[in-house]
Amino acid sequence: HLRNHLIEMLEAASVTADPDERQRLLTFVVAGAGYAGVEIASEANEFLRASLKSYPMLDAGELHVINVDILMRILPTFNDRLAQRVVQRMKARGIELRLGVGLKDATGSAVTLTDGSRIETRSIIATVGIGTNPLLRDLPLTLSRGRLVCDRFCRVEGYPDVFAVGDNAAVPDPTSGQPFGAMVMVAFGEGRQAARNIVAEIRSQPLEPARPTRFGEVALLSRNYGVAQVRGLEMHGRPAALVSRLLFLSFMPSWRRRLALTLHWMGSAVMPDNLTPLPLGRSNLVIPMRFGAGEVIVREGDIGGRFYVITAGEVEVSQQVDGKEQSIRQMGPGEHFGELALLHDRHRTATVRALKDTSVLSIARHDFAALVEHSRALQDALTQPRLDQSSPHTEPRDSENGVR
């Protein structure tokens, strides 16, 4: 999904005539500078810059990948030397690092940081970690920073017959007394020890504390560059990338999948990137979005990509008339817009701007087209002319929200 989104942003930026919207489309904010954040920011930056050769109308200087984290350093589990090496490499490749600030607010067209600065963007990638499982909030259990408080045997505090492992369990490290990190190798180790302890308890045998074995820390920043610290050994570059890939292969459940993945890696190393979006089954057919007061949701002249239904707030629809933007009407909860550009495969015919904080449900072009194609009643309802009594125009005039 992320790869398809990156391609979609490049496509939209290559045809938009609005320089501000073009900048938003080419700005990508990655929240979090741990393993996932650094890897995604680095690989997305590499993919985007390599793809620019297919978009000669876009300049590399217009592309901005920004990695934001509330901590003052990236990759906190790595030593300072390797972490600083990664910082230098990311900056050398055009990635902007903003450390010591977090995300305060996010809308469909911008993010606001805790220092008050604002970044206009259409792409926010959150890698800030897991949240508390909703099930846990409704249970009478003790939580610590969103995780179940457990003893060193993986038993839930106050419930000695209940065991918990993984990201939602705060199992203390016998060495430091602090909970183990929410990492896959830790979860595997906790799961194995919890199983042994359950069997031991059934057999009235003594329990043993969880001591997950850790292979080390690895981070893959690109095809040929990674960093790793394995059992006291520091690596960076191609050797670390190789170690990272071997570790990833060890998680594959069968040799057939390991072979298929290895062949894919070998092929992608010698073949150029294919910019065709992958045909993924979408699980996010309807996406909730939020826009702050004054933010533009759709802009006149842009290519239509989504259909919107207002769930809260208020928007204003306006058009360019004789070189001036003129208000046509206001819309509120339950009303919709964006259908004309999709139904008639043309550019947006009006601008829609949030008058107050507004929430909408948005449907992608392909899903909207499928709904309309198979529902004549829906198509008739969407194409039905709607009179706008507040419009100053006396002549019929198409607009983005179906006003005639």
Side-chain angles (χ1 to χ4, degrees):
H1 290 284
L2 177 57
R3 180 182 182 278
N4 287 356
H5 175 77
L6 298 180
I7 296 174
E8 181 183 345
M9 294 298 100
L10 291 175
E11 292 283 347
S14 67
V15 296
T16 185
D18 180 14
D20 293 332
E21 179 64 13
R22 183 189 183 104
Q23 189 59 70
R24 278 189 287 269
L25 292 167
L26 293 177
T27 300
F28 303 85
V29 177
V30 181
Y35 290 100
V38 167
E39 289 179 339
I40 289 177
S42 298
E43 294 197 15
N45 182 68
E46 181 182 41
F47 175 80
L48 289 165
R49 295 190 183 280
S51 301
L52 287 179
K53 61 179 179 292
S54 299
Y55 299 92
M57 67 292 296
L58 301 180
D59 185 80
E62 298 177 288
L63 186 63
H64 299 279
V65 177
I66 305 171
N67 199 183
V68 179
D69 198 289
I70 193 66
L71 300 179
M72 291 302 298
R73 59 160 291 179
I74 68 172
L75 298 173
T77 59
F78 279 80
N79 62 44
D80 291 338
R81 185 165 48 254
L82 281 178
Q84 188 58 35
R85 187 180 292 274
V86 173
V87 168
Q88 294 172 355
R89 189 178 192 277
M90 293 176 71
K91 289 182 176 180
R93 279 155 177 76
I95 300 175
E96 181 181 348
L97 286 168
R98 295 198 184 184
L99 304 178
V101 292
L103 264 62
K104 179 181 179 181
D105 186 52
T107 67
S109 60
V111 295
T112 303
L113 304 183
T114 52
D115 63 358
S117 60
R118 178 183 171 89
I119 304 174
E120 302 281 340
T121 178
R122 293 291 188 186
S123 304
I124 307 169
I125 306 165
T127 68
V128 292
I130 60 159
T132 304
N133 190 302
L135 175 64
L136 300 182
R137 299 194 188 100
D138 300 327
L139 297 177
L141 303 172
T142 304
L143 300 180
S144 174
R145 300 184 67 181
R147 304 171 72 187
L148 286 172
V149 176
C150 301
D151 63 15
R152 58 198 184 113
F153 306 111
C154 301
R155 296 179 301 188
V156 176
E157 184 179 86
Y159 296 85
D161 294 329
V162 179
F163 290 77
V165 300
D167 292 347
N168 281 295
V171 179
D173 185 339
T175 304
S176 65
Q178 298 299 315
F180 288 110
M183 294 181 287
V184 62
M185 296 300 293
V186 170
F188 286 163
E190 290 175 350
R192 285 191 290 265
Q193 190 57 53
R196 296 190 190 103
N197 285 341
I198 292 173
V199 173
E201 193 166 83
I202 293 173
R203 296 174 178 174
S204 299
Q205 297 174 347
L207 308 185
E208 295 184 5
R211 293 187 178 90
T213 57
R214 295 179 60 184
F215 175 80
E217 285 77 28
V218 296
L220 184 64
L221 277 66
S222 68
R223 288 175 178 172
N224 301 314
Y225 189 90
V227 290
Q229 50 186 38
V230 181
R231 305 190 188 281
L233 179 64
E234 297 180 12
M235 291 181 286
H236 65 90
R238 290 179 182 272
L242 177 61
V243 170
S244 179
R245 292 187 185 277
L246 291 175
L247 180 62
F248 190 85
L249 284 175
S250 70
F251 294 143
M252 293 293 102
S254 67
W255 282 103
R256 181 174 178 271
R257 292 191 179 183
R258 291 170 185 167
L259 177 61
L261 183 58
T262 301
L263 292 175
H264 170 73
W265 283 341
M266 294 172 62
S268 63
V270 296
M271 300 293 290
D273 281 322
N274 184 358
L275 290 181
T276 303
L278 299 175
L280 300 176
R282 293 179 298 279
S283 59
N284 54 344
L285 303 182
V286 179
I287 301 177
M289 304 177 72
R290 188 171 69 87
F291 295 86
E295 292 185 347
V296 173
I297 303 175
V298 300
R299 191 179 302 275
E300 183 175 356
D302 286 352
I303 295 177
R306 307 192 74 86
F307 170 72
Y308 301 87
V309 178
I310 304 171
T311 59
E314 188 177 13
V315 303
E316 179 186 53
V317 182
S318 61
Q319 284 183 323
Q320 290 290 328
V321 179
D322 298 328
K324 297 181 179 180
E325 189 173 275
Q326 188 162 348
S327 176
I328 296 177
R329 65 171 297 183
Q330 296 178 3
M331 304 172 67
E335 297 187 86
H336 58 81
F337 58 91
E339 70 275 9
L340 287 182
L342 304 184
L343 289 173
H344 304 292
D345 194 23
R346 64 188 188 191
H347 290 187
R348 299 287 189 190
T349 58
T351 294
V352 180
R353 181 181 288 103
L355 292 177
K356 59 178 70 172
D357 289 351
T358 299
S359 298
V360 299
L361 294 177
S362 69
I363 303 177
R365 169 192 291 271
H366 303 293
D367 304 309
F368 175 78
L371 284 174
V372 174
E373 180 182 358
H374 294 92
S375 175
R376 174 61 64 180
L378 177 60
Q379 184 175 8
D380 292 342
L382 292 174
T383 55
Q384 180 70 27
R386 290 181 288 175
L387 295 178
D388 177 18
Q389 297 178 356
S390 65
S391 172
H393 298 293
T394 57
E395 294 297 325
R397 182 175 177 85
D398 289 344
S399 76
E400 181 58 42
N401 67 326
V403 179
R404 300 297 187 187

